Amino acid sequence: QEGRDQRPSEQVLRERRPRDLARRLDRLNGILDPTRLDDYVAHGGYAAAATALSERTPQQVVEEVSGAGLRGRGGAGFPTGRKWALARAEKNEPKYLVCNADEGDPGAFMDRSLLEGTPHAILEGMIIAGYAIGASQGIIYVRAEYPLAVCNAKEAIRQAQAAGLLGGNILGAGFGFDVIVREGAGAFVCGEETALLASLEGRRGMPRPRPPFPVQRGYLGKPTVINNVETLANIPLIMEKGKDWYAAIGTKGSKGTKIFALAGKVNNTGLVEVPIGATLRQIVYEIGGGIPKGRAFKAAQMGGPSGGCVPVRYLDLPIDYESVKEVGAIMGSGGMIILDENTCMVDIARYFMDFCAKESCGKCPPCRIGTTRMLEILRRICAGKGELADLDKLETLAVQVKKNSLCGLGQTAANPVLSTLRHFRDEYMEHIALKQCRASACPGLVESPCSHACPAGVDVPDYLTLAAEDRYAEALAVIQMRNPLVSVCGRVCDHPCEHRCRRADIDEPLSIRDIKRHVTDTVAAPWRPPEAWTGHETQHRVAVIGAGPAGLTCAYFLRFFGHRATIFEALPEPGGMLRVGIPRYRLPDERLKLDV
């Protein structure tokens, strides 16, 4: 009680973190010492467990969790109360509770943060869950790559046992429950509950068909409830505050908050806890601080390697289990990778398919063979060797793998492919038909990102090298080989080349447009192609209607190939939109006249 009186008030906590009003699960991370039981107790720790064990029956606990609308945070979103009720109804003894901390999604560390920062909250949730389902043994299955989480969880268990919060008669309530830690070897498939159970039993982590479900026959053949770390962290809050308080935020079908691991092309990366139903725009721009370098948001990859990509048109979509599924993604355990305009969606699909193919346990052919064949097709497309027929093959394979795989890994492995085909099919078409990657990301289709992004296809590295050596006339020739109206490059173009400049990933992009302007302003006389280029006369005579930039350029290259071209123009002076649509301070008459 003395320690509780000294703890910061809720108002003080809000003043410390004015933007963290939705924080519930990780509200104490960074405030208390995770290795001290007294710190957790001083902040109200284990009060919910004491209340549940002394004032509620197990059935009432199950009903409270069901009424709160808590859904499993491990990915599937199965109602937690329903799972507990099924396990409680089983007559077979003993029963087990497993905390799934095998967090295998690249870039996700929600479970790690909770286990490292507030391990006693997880233990308290396990005590309440064990009491509700009638389990006497709890197991924390955590990946060995989380050494601090393993250490803190073991220390919390030791302290709880010494304080009588674990063991044969917890708080004198006549309920016995204990917890052990088991370390996994880091296989992604062991996040699937039946593969996790196989690993716990000392066998290779491979899934098995269901039914029977783990709540019927799980660890050592006994009824077993498997809950994610984040799921269990919600339980003390529900028991302390009540189901109505918990369900006050969220959406109709998904209650409470969700922790997302915000990563990728966003200014503020890290863990963010938001009410379920928050929009991507709120997460990316209000919390994440927007996209670096002023680039455009393109998509969010949600749900880990087996999730899907949510495009920019769904920025204002409320994020919950149902809405995200409708657009081809999954909420998953909470991984959220932000992608900007420099991201190739075909390459993203290839990257995640490579992960899924490598992590497949190989037990069922649809997953083992299907993911490998999809990866082969995606690699071929990224290398510029794809065919249009590959898209139908890819989609057919993806549907079959999703439909026929044994476990959740295979059933969701096709999501990155199906979601990118659904929302970004035009990029697949560009890779195959045009041999182009608009994001300048696929090495097989791109020599240099800046040249690839240039609307005129100017060899940017070549002319930059010549300009750096003060060989301005030659640099101008490099530009004019692709765009004879060279002043446009330096004065009018919106320089997409600079958005693709690799130097921007370090500090600032090269000032490519300014260098072009310097080159064109420095060279006194316009460049002329060598006679050899126009020495092959043909018999073709071509009429070009309009002396705007398109007509002038067309006639220029027709002459380049030896054809004779005549331009017809209604206005008294050539130039078209360059003359009448662009202010003179942007493109002075003398520069335009020189180009024309």
Side-chain angles (χ1 to χ4, degrees):
Q1 183 63 40
E2 182 181 351
R4 181 178 296 187
D5 290 340
Q6 295 174 359
R7 64 178 174 163
S9 67
E10 290 294 326
Q11 181 179 355
V12 171
L13 293 180
R14 282 197 296 270
E15 288 172 354
R16 288 183 187 175
R17 292 179 171 81
R19 295 170 58 191
D20 296 339
L21 302 184
R23 290 181 66 179
R24 292 181 172 184
L25 305 181
D26 67 350
R27 69 197 184 282
L28 300 178
N29 275 24
I31 294 176
L32 57 76
D33 183 343
T35 63
R36 292 186 57 192
L37 172 62
D38 290 348
D39 260 20
Y40 183 63
V41 173
H43 286 84
Y46 289 105
T51 300
L53 269 58
S54 62
E55 300 178 11
R56 308 283 181 88
T57 66
Q59 183 60 36
Q60 288 175 329
V61 173
V62 173
E63 291 172 356
E64 191 77 13
V65 173
S66 297
L70 174 64
R71 298 176 65 168
R73 299 296 195 250
F78 191 82
T80 303
R82 191 187 308 173
K83 181 184 285 189
W84 288 10
L86 292 171
R88 175 160 180 77
E90 290 292 322
K91 303 301 181 184
N92 198 0
E93 298 284 350
K95 298 175 183 178
Y96 294 94
L97 173 70
V98 176
C99 171
N100 184 353
D102 188 62
E103 192 171 43
D105 293 2
F109 51 102
M110 296 77 65
D111 297 349
R112 175 182 181 177
S113 175
L114 291 172
L115 269 179
E116 288 180 354
T118 51
H120 282 287
I122 312 306
L123 289 183
E124 185 175 13
M126 293 183 71
I127 292 168
I128 298 169
Y131 174 69
I133 66 174
S136 59
Q137 181 66 59
I139 304 170
I140 299 176
Y141 183 89
V142 57
R143 56 194 304 110
E145 294 93 335
Y146 287 174
L148 182 58
V150 172
C151 178
N152 286 359
K154 288 181 177 179
E155 176 62 18
I157 291 170
R158 187 194 66 77
Q159 292 176 357
Q161 289 170 337
L165 296 167
L166 288 175
N169 184 19
I170 298 175
L171 298 176
F175 169 66
F177 185 77
D178 219 332
V179 178
I180 60 173
V181 174
R182 296 285 291 273
E183 298 177 42
F188 181 63
V189 73
C190 285
E192 195 276 338
E193 56 184 16
T194 59
L196 183 154
L197 292 174
S199 177
L200 274 178
E201 293 172 353
R203 295 179 285 114
R204 181 179 173 185
M206 300 175 75
R208 62 165 173 78
R210 296 174 298 177
F213 295 94
V215 292
Q216 300 166 315
R217 194 173 74 203
Y219 181 58
L220 302 179
K222 301 299 181 179
T224 304
V225 166
I226 303 174
N227 284 142
N228 168 264
V229 171
E230 189 178 342
T231 308
L232 291 166
N234 278 281
I235 303 304
L237 290 172
I238 294 173
M239 298 308 301
E240 179 185 357
K241 304 286 188 177
K243 60 185 180 182
D244 294 334
W245 173 88
Y246 185 84
I249 64 173
T251 63
K252 182 178 180 180
S254 305
K255 304 298 183 181
T257 63
K258 180 75 187 78
I259 301 177
F260 290 99
L262 190 61
K265 304 296 185 177
V266 63
N267 283 311
N268 304 325
T269 59
L271 296 180
V272 298
E273 184 177 358
V274 296
I276 295 182
T279 66
L280 268 177
R281 187 183 302 277
Q282 292 172 317
I283 295 174
V284 174
Y285 289 97
E286 294 181 19
I287 300 173
I291 312 299
K293 310 294 183 183
R295 293 169 179 163
F297 172 86
K298 188 171 188 176
Q301 204 280 342
M302 295 182 59
S306 50
C309 295
V310 181
V312 64
R313 64 177 175 273
Y314 295 114
L315 258 177
D316 294 310
L317 178 75
I319 299 174
D320 62 18
Y321 289 94
E322 286 75 25
S323 64
V324 171
K325 189 175 181 180
E326 287 175 5
V327 299
I330 58 175
M331 188 119 81
S333 59
M336 182 180 290
I337 301 175
I338 306 304
L339 312 174
D340 68 7
E341 59 189 292
N342 285 0
T343 305
C344 172
M345 303 311 295
V346 184
D347 187 58
I348 281 291
R350 178 207 57 78
Y351 172 83
F352 285 111
M353 188 52 60
D354 181 67
F355 180 90
C356 291
K358 288 176 179 176
E359 291 293 337
S360 172
C361 73
K363 183 173 184 177
C364 70
C367 180
R368 181 182 71 245
I369 301 173
T371 55
T372 302
R373 294 294 170 265
M374 282 194 288
L375 178 60
E376 290 171 356
I377 294 173
L378 289 167
R379 283 175 173 168
R380 196 160 61 239
I381 294 174
C382 287
K385 300 176 181 178
E387 302 174 355
L388 288 176
D390 286 337
L391 295 185
D392 290 334
K393 293 178 185 177
L394 193 59
E395 197 159 17
T396 301
L397 266 173
V399 171
Q400 291 303 318
V401 169
K402 187 180 184 73
K403 185 185 300 183
N404 298 309
S405 292
L406 177 61
C407 79
L409 189 154
Q411 291 164 8
T412 58
N415 283 342
V417 171
L418 290 173
S419 64
T420 51
L421 279 173
R422 174 180 173 182
H423 300 301
F424 302 96
R425 197 179 191 92
D426 52 341
E427 291 196 33
Y428 283 87
M429 297 293 290
E430 290 171 5
H431 279 66
I432 294 171
L434 303 179
K435 307 301 179 187
Q436 290 183 357
C437 172
R438 70 171 66 172
S440 308
C442 295
L445 298 174
V446 177
E447 291 185 4
S448 64
C450 48
S451 294
H452 190 76
C454 178
V458 174
D459 189 341
V460 178
D462 194 9
Y463 96 76
L464 286 177
T465 301
L466 293 169
E469 298 173 355
D470 294 337
R471 296 159 65 183
Y472 295 146
E474 295 172 74
L476 186 67
V478 171
I479 302 173
Q480 207 160 10
M481 285 171 62
R482 298 296 303 179
N483 178 17
L485 298 161
V486 290
S487 295
V488 170
C489 288
R491 293 177 175 271
V492 181
C493 180
D494 64 345
H495 52 92
C497 50
E498 292 184 21
H499 288 283
R500 295 285 191 269
C501 181
R502 290 281 168 82
R503 180 74 194 189
D505 295 331
I506 302 173
D507 41 40
E508 297 288 337
L510 295 178
S511 299
I512 300 173
R513 185 174 71 171
D514 291 342
I515 296 173
K516 285 179 181 175
R517 178 170 175 172
H518 177 71
V519 168
T520 55
D521 288 355
T522 302
V523 179
W527 175 78
R528 295 283 184 268
E531 286 298 322
W533 290 14
T534 56
H536 304 286
E537 295 290 338
T538 70
Q539 300 302 312
H540 298 293
R541 295 176 179 270
V542 184
V544 177
I545 310 302
L552 289 169
T553 304
C554 178
Y556 174 86
F557 283 108
L558 286 169
R559 187 73 188 114
F560 177 86
F561 289 112
H563 310 311
R564 292 194 173 274
T566 303
I567 304 178
F568 294 86
E569 171 58 56
L571 297 176
E573 295 287 341
M577 290 303 295
L578 295 178
R579 184 172 297 280
V580 301
I582 297 177
R584 296 281 69 82
Y585 67 84
R586 288 287 299 278
L587 188 60
D589 283 331
E590 60 271 17
R591 290 307 316 175
L592 178 58
K593 183 177 180 181
L594 190 61
D595 282 357
V596 172

